[in-house]
Amino acid sequence: MTWDIKFLPEADRDLDELSHSQQVIVKKAIKKVQQNPLLANEGGYGKPLGHKRGLNLTNLLKIKLLKEGIRIVYKLIRTETKMLIVVVGVREV
């Protein structure tokens, strides 16, 4: 099953700020995850985020593109099989 994807305006801007080659890689990764965005322990690709360093990211999932140093944060809306892209960004060292 393919999940519908919606980008927050901020995530859309984040994606636009990446180089063209990074955009291609991110879009390819999102398309792959779109097929099964569930948690990794449910057979999907997502890794859960939690409450860390004063930020409450509970109920959000992430995928990392390690080679590119990019993390994509998303939220599953299970009742409607929608995937909401929250952030796309280069990880700071």
Side-chain angles (χ1 to χ4, degrees):
M1 171 175 52
T2 300
W3 291 57
D4 293 329
I5 293 180
K6 180 178 179 182
F7 283 79
L8 285 181
E10 297 86 355
D12 224 1
R13 282 192 298 272
D14 292 341
L15 185 59
D16 288 341
E17 290 175 4
L18 297 175
S19 70
H20 177 71
S21 61
Q22 288 176 320
Q23 288 179 18
V24 170
I25 292 167
V26 167
K27 288 177 184 177
K28 185 177 177 182
I30 290 172
K31 189 170 186 161
K32 180 179 178 182
V33 173
Q34 181 182 12
Q35 301 302 315
N36 192 0
L38 301 173
L39 289 163
N41 63 5
E42 295 178 35
Y45 295 103
K47 303 236 165 116
L49 293 169
H51 191 95
K52 297 178 184 174
R53 291 184 241 152
L55 289 173
N56 187 2
L57 301 175
T58 307
N59 298 325
L60 296 177
L61 302 169
K62 69 178 177 182
I63 55 171
K64 287 184 180 179
L65 307 176
L66 295 176
K67 186 176 176 186
E68 289 76 25
I70 295 174
R71 178 175 71 170
I72 301 167
V73 176
Y74 64 96
K75 180 177 185 174
L76 288 180
I77 304 169
R78 292 182 186 244
T79 57
E80 302 176 20
T81 64
K82 287 188 182 178
M83 188 175 149
L84 176 64
I85 306 293
V86 178
V87 176
V88 175
V90 176
R91 296 283 295 162
E92 293 186 22
V93 178

